[in-house]
Amino acid sequence: MTFNSDAEENVEVEDSTKILYCSRTHSQLTQFANEVRRVKIPFAETDDADPSEEANDLLIDEIKHLALGSRKNLCINEGVKKLGNPTAINERCLDLQSKTTADKKCPHLPTKENETLVHQFRDLTLAKIRDIEDLGDLGRQIGICPYYASRAAIKSSEVVTLPYPLLLQRSSRVALDMSLKNHIIIIDEAHNLMDAISGMYSVEISLAQLKKSREQIGIYLQKFRNRLKGKNRMYVTQTVRLMDSLIVYLEGIQGQAKPSEGQTKMTELLSGKGVDQINLYKLSRYLQESKLARKVGGYALHLEEEQAVKERKVATPVLNQVQSFFQALTYPSVEGRFFFAKTDHNDVLLRYLLLDPTNHFKEIVEEARAVILAGGTMSPMEDYRLHLFPYLDSARLRTLSCDHVIPNENLVAWPLVKGLNSVDFDFTFEKRSLPAVIDALGHALVDLARTIPDGLVVFFPSYAYLEVVTSAWKKRELPGTPLWDELGELKPIFEEAKGSSSVDDVLEQYSAAIEGSASHRGALLLSVVGGKMSEGINFSDRLGRGVVIVGLPFPNIQSPEWKAKLEYIEQQALSRGGSAAEGKNTARAFYENACMRAVNQSIGRAIRHKGDYAAIVMLDRRYSTPRIQEKLPGWIKKGLVKTEGGADFRMAMSSIRRFFETKR
């Protein structure tokens, strides 16, 4: 293979219109890349073109596709990659770049000397469609860092796939030297978009982290104070003062019996001596440009190694987190709020929460040629207009909602308001832990497990409630077999654990139990709305013949964060000329929509292709109300069984039984 001459390589490549496809995870981006591979585009025909079919097969123009990713996914330096922690990998990579001698630098880093390898990497990357793993393999083969070398291919590409942070964070776009001007942006899984933006610009720090950072910077100052010039010494001193102010505030919270959580003001955080004289913008800029966090962290690491402290797994330099929090102190006060919360380990957390993602997404919208938000469970969609695009004329917004690919007869959806013995399915926070409600839920699942073949996935509103329910079923003191054992006799039970890293193991065991069951006995999977099983997992065919939603997973409206969020939405409605009543209705709708998007995402785990079929059962009296039903996806509403005064439980069981009999 031949490559361009150096003269040709130095010609500026035109940044022509391209598609930037963005999704949450690298696995979703890989799925998209696999679909792009299926697209065959013929070369433009010429007058002397060979019309034969064999010639046309050879004249296929490959889409110039580029996969961008993080250092964690693209690093080929084994010594750095094994650190595991994304922040630690980033810091170690940057630290290696700052080394002054070649033998201490990363050997894979692009330089003037190996520019030919960068060009080779670019050309091979665009010659065929590669996913993120392919780029890593190509980088190892050539001996060049794919994280940095891939940037040379951005302008020449036609389709770029990248994860959320690389598109949504301005600092990432600047680092990539990636312009959005005149490009088409597609954001998949967009039901996550507002939360994703808020999460990227929200930051949390603990009292323990602040104290550790204060200790490290103190040691650093003792060693290097005399080497620091006046300006540097001033900014380091300001950093220490600001940290001391935050430490004093959090120690005050720690010493109080109550409250355990709440909202605080910036003036309370910055009440330390001399802190009011600090220019936070200049200090934040200094910390970024001086790389102070890396220097302090590197020196602390050096001391640990000297003292043979080997217990670390490579800890993230804590001053980086402090620096991120300092940056949050510079954000416009109207956009976010500060909160504190005590932990179970006698620590105190301080958190900045971005309440309004509008301005952070606005610059993307204004720069791009078009922005497309796509997703299977984006309804209700009014939130996007009100809370993401409030500044846009409604004429510039277009919405499109498609039916599901399945025929109507492949879905049955029942909202059930009562269980056996006419016990109300009332899963409000006040009623859901009543023994009668938990018992009725257990009996309902026993009947559903008898009726629905193969896989049955049940989503609970929270991990805490799942634990309450399963504990009650196991300890049942009434005569007869405990409900847990009764369920287990019908289908083997698998349970999602909070914070568990064994999700793949649970899914593998659940799948094996279903696929190994010739009698269609299947298995029962107990999951949580918003948990790891509710997003990105496909329960297609036998894995998800039934999906049960228990209750409505409303966020805790009494939490300081949600109080602040709803109060902010009310204020925004008033600022647009609405009445107080309209403001409250807008906040209520936002609260309900947050809940229903999570419900819709869980429901969407089943029925993954046009030949698939499933029964959806929603257990809660509120699912029978028009207000909640209106927020369900259109394809669910089409299959929704509507009855006067709520469905009779036995009638629903008969309907579901007949539904599956027709599928045999």
Side-chain angles (χ1 to χ4, degrees):
M1 178 175 288
T2 60
F3 297 91
N4 296 332
S5 68
D6 291 342
E8 288 174 315
E9 295 293 0
N10 292 327
V11 174
E12 182 68 24
V13 178
E14 182 183 351
D15 192 15
S16 56
T17 299
K18 59 177 59 63
I19 294 172
L20 303 176
Y21 176 87
C22 177
S23 195
R24 272 191 337 118
T25 65
H26 283 292
S27 62
Q28 290 164 336
L29 295 173
T30 297
Q31 289 176 20
F32 177 78
N34 290 335
E35 292 302 311
V36 174
R37 284 191 181 102
R38 298 171 57 189
V39 178
K40 304 299 180 185
I41 301 177
F43 277 109
E45 290 189 14
T46 60
D47 293 337
D48 58 348
D50 184 345
S52 69
E53 187 174 331
E54 183 179 347
N56 286 338
D57 287 341
L58 295 173
L59 295 175
I60 296 297
D61 191 9
E62 286 282 1
I63 294 173
K64 293 184 178 68
H65 165 265
L66 172 66
L68 293 176
S70 63
R71 285 185 178 89
K72 186 177 187 298
N73 291 94
L74 287 174
C75 178
I76 61 172
N77 185 320
E78 294 304 322
V80 176
K81 192 176 181 66
K82 72 179 182 182
L83 300 181
N85 181 290
T87 306
I89 290 174
N90 289 343
E91 285 304 307
R92 184 58 179 153
C93 174
L94 295 171
D95 183 50
L96 287 174
Q97 292 177 50
S98 66
K99 301 298 183 185
T100 55
T101 57
D103 61 319
K104 291 187 177 180
K105 286 181 176 286
C106 177
H108 310 297
L109 194 68
T111 63
K112 273 289 181 184
E113 288 70 27
N114 61 19
E115 194 171 7
T116 304
L117 295 181
V118 174
H119 296 153
Q120 183 182 3
F121 180 90
R122 179 200 62 197
D123 293 343
L124 290 173
T125 295
L126 299 178
K128 60 184 285 190
I129 294 169
R130 302 175 188 267
D131 61 26
I132 206 74
E133 284 78 17
D134 295 331
L135 286 196
D137 293 340
L138 181 61
R140 289 185 192 91
Q141 179 185 334
I142 295 176
I144 196 74
C145 171
Y147 175 74
Y148 283 106
S150 59
R151 300 179 183 189
I154 293 177
K155 288 186 178 180
S156 301
S157 61
E158 296 169 336
V159 175
V160 178
T161 56
L162 66 169
Y164 273 11
L166 295 188
L167 175 75
L168 299 178
Q169 287 182 309
R170 188 175 186 277
S171 58
S172 297
R173 300 196 301 273
V174 170
L176 289 169
D177 190 25
M178 184 176 68
S179 168
L180 304 181
K181 190 171 180 59
N182 207 34
H183 299 325
I184 298 164
I185 296 172
I186 302 174
I187 299 178
D188 202 358
E189 300 290 328
H191 64 278
N192 288 305
L193 181 58
M194 287 186 284
D195 288 341
I197 297 171
S198 293
M200 285 173 197
Y201 289 93
S202 299
V203 61
E204 183 177 89
I205 192 167
S206 69
L207 176 58
Q209 286 175 317
L210 280 166
K211 286 182 173 179
K212 182 69 173 176
S213 296
R214 179 65 177 83
E215 177 190 348
Q216 289 182 350
I217 202 169
I219 295 171
Y220 180 83
L221 270 175
Q222 283 180 354
K223 177 70 176 178
F224 300 104
R225 182 185 300 274
N226 294 333
R227 299 188 198 177
L228 292 174
K229 295 179 182 178
K231 180 181 175 183
N232 290 331
R233 189 181 301 175
M234 177 190 74
Y235 281 124
V236 173
T237 302
Q238 289 182 356
T239 301
V240 171
R241 282 184 182 174
L242 190 48
M243 289 168 63
D244 285 344
S245 182
L246 296 176
I247 289 170
V248 168
Y249 173 78
L250 290 180
E251 284 179 336
I253 296 294
Q254 189 180 46
Q256 298 173 6
K258 288 186 178 181
S260 60
E261 60 179 4
Q263 186 175 337
T264 187
K265 295 180 180 178
M266 212 167 132
T267 51
E268 295 177 311
L269 301 177
L270 307 182
S271 59
K273 182 179 179 182
V275 174
D276 58 338
Q277 304 297 317
I278 297 174
N279 185 318
L280 294 172
Y281 297 93
K282 287 185 177 180
L283 176 59
S284 184
R285 191 184 312 121
Y286 168 79
L287 291 174
Q288 289 176 333
E289 293 175 354
S290 69
K291 313 291 192 296
L292 179 66
R294 194 181 317 142
K295 293 172 183 175
V296 171
Y299 183 63
L301 198 61
H302 168 70
L303 289 181
E304 284 186 2
E305 290 171 347
E306 276 195 345
Q307 296 164 10
V309 179
K310 302 295 185 183
E311 69 239 10
R312 59 182 171 78
K313 187 186 176 180
V314 181
T316 301
V318 284
L319 191 54
N320 279 45
Q321 195 70 7
V322 176
Q323 181 178 321
S324 297
F325 193 84
F326 285 4
Q327 179 72 33
L329 294 171
T330 68
Y331 295 157
S333 58
V334 69
E335 288 183 357
R337 301 289 185 273
F338 292 93
F339 303 89
F340 67 84
K342 295 179 181 177
T343 73
D344 296 334
H345 306 292
N346 197 33
D347 202 356
V348 187
L349 300 177
L350 188 57
R351 186 182 185 208
Y352 170 80
L353 176 66
L354 178 71
L355 299 178
D356 188 355
T358 302
N359 289 329
H360 293 282
F361 195 62
K362 185 177 181 180
E363 59 186 48
I364 294 175
V365 174
E366 291 181 338
E367 196 173 344
R369 178 175 178 174
V371 176
I372 300 170
L373 307 186
T377 51
M378 289 179 64
S379 58
M381 289 195 276
E382 183 67 5
D383 279 357
Y384 299 92
R385 184 184 69 80
L386 288 176
H387 309 298
L388 203 56
F389 307 113
Y391 55 90
L392 284 181
D393 189 296
S394 57
R396 292 188 60 190
L397 297 173
R398 295 284 186 273
T399 59
L400 173 66
S401 183
C402 303
D403 282 341
H404 206 293
V405 294
I406 59 166
N408 293 339
E409 60 268 21
N410 279 20
L411 170 71
V412 61
W414 278 91
L416 296 181
V417 300
K418 292 178 184 291
L420 291 170
N421 302 323
S422 298
V423 175
D424 284 344
F425 282 138
D426 186 345
F427 292 100
T428 55
F429 187 77
E430 296 78 16
K431 300 283 186 69
R432 67 188 187 184
S433 295
L434 293 175
V437 174
I438 292 176
D439 201 56
L441 171 60
H443 283 296
L445 289 184
V446 166
D447 278 356
L448 287 166
R450 283 199 188 102
T451 306
I452 297 175
D454 297 314
L456 177 59
V457 186
V458 184
F459 288 101
F460 286 76
S462 68
Y463 289 102
Y465 187 58
L466 172 58
E467 186 177 346
V468 166
V469 168
T470 54
S471 296
W473 290 343
K474 291 171 184 176
K475 296 176 183 175
R476 189 176 181 225
E477 297 173 357
L478 297 175
T481 305
L483 278 168
W484 183 263
D485 294 344
E486 202 170 340
L487 278 169
E489 288 171 6
L490 293 166
K491 294 180 185 289
I493 304 172
F494 300 90
E495 188 175 345
E496 176 183 356
K498 184 177 183 180
S500 173
S501 58
S502 61
V503 171
D504 290 339
D505 293 337
V506 173
L507 282 172
E508 189 176 327
Q509 294 166 21
Y510 171 73
S511 301
I514 292 168
E515 291 165 2
S517 171
S519 64
H520 295 280
R521 179 191 181 205
L524 175 64
L525 179 61
L526 306 181
S527 308
V528 173
V529 175
K532 292 183 179 179
M533 302 285 190
S534 68
E535 284 203 44
I537 306 294
N538 295 340
F539 294 107
S540 59
D541 299 313
R542 294 180 65 189
L543 296 182
R545 288 299 181 217
V547 172
V548 179
I549 308 292
V550 179
L552 285 159
F554 282 108
N556 180 8
I557 200 170
Q558 297 303 320
S559 72
E561 288 88 350
W562 268 98
K563 282 183 178 179
K565 193 173 290 189
L566 297 179
E567 180 185 309
Y568 178 80
I569 290 170
E570 286 186 39
Q571 291 171 351
Q572 290 298 103
L574 291 173
S575 69
R576 292 193 291 266
S579 65
E582 288 171 333
K584 290 189 178 299
N585 286 336
T586 302
R588 179 188 176 187
F590 180 86
Y591 181 64
E592 289 177 348
N593 293 347
C595 167
M596 289 308 296
R597 268 195 297 275
V599 167
N600 295 340
Q601 185 68 13
S602 297
I603 290 173
R605 296 309 88 213
I607 311 185
R608 306 300 298 180
H609 58 83
K610 65 181 180 181
D612 211 350
Y613 59 91
I616 310 296
V617 181
M618 293 160 281
L619 302 180
D620 197 298
R621 58 178 176 75
R622 291 168 289 182
Y623 282 115
S624 66
T625 62
R627 186 179 180 94
I628 293 299
Q629 289 187 359
E630 188 57 35
K631 297 177 187 293
L632 291 167
W635 64 277
I636 290 290
K637 285 188 278 190
K638 279 191 172 184
L640 201 64
V641 180
K642 296 185 179 181
T643 57
E644 290 293 329
D648 175 80
F649 187 81
R650 289 183 175 82
M651 181 196 307
M653 291 303 103
S654 297
S655 167
I656 293 169
R657 191 174 294 109
R658 288 194 302 273
F659 172 79
F660 284 107
E661 284 173 353
T662 64
K663 303 301 176 187
R664 288 176 183 169

